[in-house]
Every structure is written in structure tokens, then in C-alpha cells.
Amino acid sequence: KTTKGAPHILIKLLKPNNGIEAQVERDVHDLGERGIRCLAVAMTNASGDWELLGLLTFLDPPRPDTKQTIEDARHFGVSVKMITGDHLLIAKETARRLDLGDYILTAEGLPLLDPVTKQKPADLSKKYGDLCLNADGFAQVYPEHKYLIVECLRELGYKTGMTGDGVND
């Protein structure tokens, strides 16, 4: 078997191994500080254990018109927040380039749907409203987080809109 994905996710498939986790984290951090994204690639060996093959790097800068679009939205009174599955460092670099602010949080501490009923938390806006309002953006989120952030803002009475470049946006 072979797979690719976010390094912090794929690293969990590996057996503890001679500090490879720490090296991957350092490499991802170093690349992320320069705005370089990466994917990890792994495959199973003859014993069925996952082994890391390496990191694939690529650049994926914002579109040239994105910064102006955000400025235009703000001119018309629209508050803009970034919600992305990207690594925190990539999100911070993107936010810097687009003048989105520097208070970018990870998904840690964000709500999840109830695992059984798949319903949002009953106290969503009461418990997470300030967090969602004050953050300039969120990184390392899953589609479920995106939904709940938007839903929280809607519960607080804000009109919301969302756009993106992925199937889960």
C-alpha cells in the first residue's frame, strides 16, 4: 500500500523510529516558514509496517487578485477570515501576504460534531463565539471545523459567506 497526505497525519502511521518524527517536524517547520507546502508519502514494507518515503514540496501562493478582493470586501464592511486545512505556518505566511492579521489558531480547541448524532454542540455560539469572532483565521482544520465555525458565526447573528478552492469548501 502507498499513501500521501499531511505529514502530521501520516507520521501517526509509523512505528516510533530513530527520531524520524522529529526530523519531519523540523523539515515541515523550515519549509513552512518560507511558505513552501509539503505532503508526506509513505508505503508499507513486507511486514505491513508503514515507512516514510519522503516529503513532496510545492508552492501554492494566493491568486494575484486575492489581496485586492479582500481589501475590497473590507471597504464594504465585510470581515474576512481564513479557514484552511493547511499547516499553521503556511496559514500564517498566507495571512501575512494577504494582510489578514496574525491571530491564526489551529483546530485544537474547536468544537466537533457529536460522534453519534452528528449534531452541532447545543452551546456552540455561547462557548466558541468569542474564539470565532476574535481569530483572524484557523489552520489545520477539517471540513467539520469549517462548518462549525461558520455555523457559530451565524448563530451569533452574522451573515456569512464562504468560498474556497477545494471540494470541501
Side-chain angles (χ1 to χ4, degrees):
K1 294 186 256 182
T2 306
T3 190
K4 63 165 176 49
H8 69 281
I9 300 296
L10 259 60
I11 206 79
K12 294 176 185 176
L13 297 175
L14 309 177
K15 286 185 172 180
N17 178 346
N18 299 329
I20 191 78
E21 295 90 352
Q23 182 61 52
V24 168
E25 286 179 20
R26 278 193 303 274
D27 290 345
V28 168
H29 184 272
D30 292 345
L31 292 164
E33 283 188 324
R34 298 180 303 185
I36 300 172
R37 299 171 192 249
C38 63
L39 288 174
V41 180
M43 69 180 289
T44 53
N45 60 22
S47 303
D49 297 326
W50 286 99
E51 293 182 356
L52 184 70
L53 298 178
L55 298 174
L56 300 173
T57 61
F58 57 99
L59 293 174
D60 186 17
R63 290 177 15 177
D65 62 342
T66 302
K67 186 173 181 177
Q68 184 62 53
T69 301
I70 292 168
E71 289 174 10
D72 292 347
R74 286 185 176 142
H75 174 76
F76 290 108
V78 176
S79 175
V80 178
K81 296 181 183 295
M82 178 176 58
I83 308 173
T84 180
D86 289 338
H87 189 280
L88 178 62
L89 290 170
I90 297 296
K92 285 185 173 188
E93 174 61 14
T94 301
R96 184 192 65 75
R97 290 182 185 189
L98 300 174
D99 291 329
L100 283 171
D102 58 6
Y103 189 47
I104 310 297
L105 306 175
T106 63
E108 259 181 60
L110 286 175
L112 293 170
L113 296 173
D114 183 279
V116 176
T117 66
K118 302 299 183 201
Q119 297 296 308
K120 65 183 178 181
D123 58 352
L124 181 64
S125 60
K126 182 177 182 181
K127 189 170 182 181
Y128 300 98
D130 286 342
L131 179 77
C132 292
L133 280 173
N134 294 327
D136 295 315
F138 297 91
Q140 294 172 224
V141 301
Y142 293 114
E144 164 177 355
H145 295 120
K146 293 180 180 185
Y147 163 72
L148 289 170
I149 292 165
V150 170
E151 190 62 22
C152 180
L153 294 170
R154 290 177 65 193
E155 281 186 12
L156 291 170
Y158 290 89
K159 292 183 176 151
T160 62
M162 188 168 172
T163 185
D165 62 357
V167 295
N168 59 358
D169 294 322

